[in-house]
Amino acid sequence: MGSFFPIAYLCSMSVLEKFGVEIFTQHNIFERIAVDKPFRTENPAFIFIKKGTIKMKQSFRDLELSANMFMVADPQTVYEMISVSEDYQSRMVSYKREFISALSLKFNRLITYRYFRQQMNIGVSLQADEMELVWKSVNFLMYILDSETEMAYKKEIVEHLFSVFCYQMAGIISKEDSNAMNRMSRQEEIVFIFLNELARYHLTERSVEFYAGRQSITTRHLSAVVKEVTGKSASQIIALIVMNEAKVFLNSSKKPVSEISAELGFSDPYSFSHFFKKHSGESPSQYRNQFEN
């Protein structure tokens, strides 16, 4: 996936840079990712599942997406593929944020709607006819993007076709978001804010006290609420987020462990290695060696 994979990102850079959007099928997606290898999106992306099932991990929770479902992959989140059914059929629409902004669409406001975006990261069901309509739009856009025929105004054509897709999705999303905030309980809101703050500050702040303070609640209260809603403690989720970041660095770059340690905000490589081994049972080097070949 051009937007999913740091190692292969350059392979698809030209299309994404030239047109602001790129589309992948289940075939070229899985040429670039492996089971049990955490990865991060470079750009936001819609993933549509037409047939079959895919099981993934998203930071700290398990996801299972099946036919007529979609999700939005967020560049702030680390994912890991667990399994894919043999009949799996999907499309991924990867796009640059600035391309969306340049289109001046109401879509941008809708897609960033805070509660519904959270739900889309879990997975959203579509009606069969909605999926069919979106699927046809995506396939036609993919056909134009992949065409080697000389085409006047190709960039403008792509922009308009992508606008059509965006408005289709905005229409689907707008049916869900009108009462979404009213459905969020106070506990869900606390967890949602915690996860957003964690995505923003995890490289520098790893204490539960910090995140409790951001919401002016006690550490005990934050921990209890997070545990009740997610099944994991706040400290466990913090560790999982940092571990996921570390694994992406280790399996997708050649940077020395000392440099990765610094980028992750550890005081020294020893502290990083101790943290990594505590939570994975192996050293950073041992983990990296799995992907050397």
Side-chain angles (χ1 to χ4, degrees):
M1 285 181 215
S3 63
F4 261 14
F5 318 106
I7 292 176
Y9 183 58
L10 290 177
C11 297
S12 57
M13 189 71 143
S14 58
V15 175
L16 205 60
E17 286 296 321
K18 188 172 183 180
F19 298 107
V21 60
E22 188 164 14
I23 299 172
F24 301 86
T25 70
Q26 65 275 9
H27 303 296
N28 49 23
I29 286 173
F30 298 124
E31 289 173 359
R32 294 172 170 85
I33 64 173
V35 173
D36 299 328
K37 184 177 180 181
F39 59 89
R40 169 195 298 287
T41 66
E42 293 288 341
N43 295 284
F46 283 92
I47 302 175
F48 297 92
I49 294 84
K50 185 76 175 296
K51 294 181 181 178
T53 302
I54 182 170
K55 295 182 180 179
M56 305 171 68
K57 285 185 178 178
Q58 177 202 344
S59 294
F60 64 90
R61 61 188 168 193
D62 295 332
L63 301 177
E64 182 171 335
L65 304 174
S66 54
N68 294 329
M69 293 185 71
F70 81 96
M71 65 172 283
V72 173
D74 190 326
Q76 292 184 318
T77 304
V78 173
Y79 302 88
E80 184 176 338
M81 186 178 72
I82 305 303
S83 65
V84 182
S85 66
E86 290 186 2
D87 61 340
Y88 181 73
Q89 188 177 4
S90 71
R91 295 290 182 268
M92 187 188 80
V93 182
S94 174
Y95 62 90
K96 287 190 165 293
R97 292 185 191 280
E98 53 266 35
F99 185 40
I100 282 281
S101 300
L103 292 176
S104 301
L105 297 173
K106 296 177 182 178
F107 170 80
N108 196 40
R109 177 185 62 81
L110 288 167
I111 202 61
T112 54
Y113 189 88
R114 67 175 191 155
Y115 179 70
F116 193 69
R117 183 172 181 178
Q118 178 198 28
Q119 298 308 303
M120 285 196 298
N121 275 299
I122 298 172
V124 177
S125 294
L126 294 176
Q127 297 295 323
D129 58 342
E130 290 177 329
M131 174 62 82
E132 191 63 33
L133 188 60
V134 171
W135 193 261
K136 287 179 178 177
S137 293
V138 170
N139 280 343
F140 186 57
L141 177 54
M142 182 171 64
Y143 172 78
I144 296 297
L145 283 168
D146 292 345
S147 174
E148 296 180 1
T149 304
E150 285 294 324
M151 193 180 303
Y153 305 110
K154 182 172 180 177
K155 192 172 190 302
E156 289 77 9
I157 292 170
V158 168
E159 288 177 356
H160 283 288
L161 289 175
F162 187 61
S163 295
V164 170
F165 162 77
C166 288
Y167 277 118
Q168 285 179 322
M169 294 309 301
I172 293 168
I173 292 166
S174 64
K175 292 192 301 184
E176 299 289 337
D177 76 349
S178 58
N179 298 313
M181 286 304 294
N182 293 331
R183 297 198 301 266
M184 182 185 280
S185 69
R186 173 56 182 153
Q187 287 186 324
E188 289 172 331
E189 186 175 4
I190 287 172
V191 173
F192 181 63
I193 294 172
F194 165 66
L195 294 175
N196 276 275
E197 296 281 80
L198 183 57
R200 182 179 179 185
Y201 293 109
H202 67 273
L203 294 181
T204 55
E205 302 291 345
R206 292 177 186 148
S207 70
V208 179
E209 289 81 5
F210 171 81
Y211 295 101
R214 295 285 297 178
Q215 298 194 57
S216 301
I217 58 178
T218 67
T219 301
R220 184 175 180 179
H221 183 52
L222 176 62
S223 298
V225 170
V226 171
K227 178 74 172 179
E228 183 173 343
V229 172
T230 70
K232 291 181 171 60
S233 69
S235 58
Q236 284 177 319
I237 290 177
I238 292 170
L240 276 169
I241 296 297
V242 177
M243 281 296 295
N244 285 337
E245 292 280 356
K247 287 178 178 179
V248 170
F249 272 118
L250 290 166
N251 72 43
S252 64
S253 78
K254 299 294 183 182
K255 294 179 179 179
V257 172
S258 58
E259 188 175 336
I260 292 173
S261 168
E263 290 195 31
L264 290 172
F266 287 88
S267 57
D268 55 68
Y270 173 79
S271 299
F272 170 55
S273 295
H274 178 76
F275 173 87
F276 194 93
K277 191 164 188 177
K278 175 183 176 183
H279 293 284
S280 70
E282 57 187 348
S283 69
S285 297
Q286 288 172 326
Y287 174 80
R288 171 175 266 174
N289 288 340
Q290 302 174 54
F291 307 102
E292 288 299 315
N293 296 322

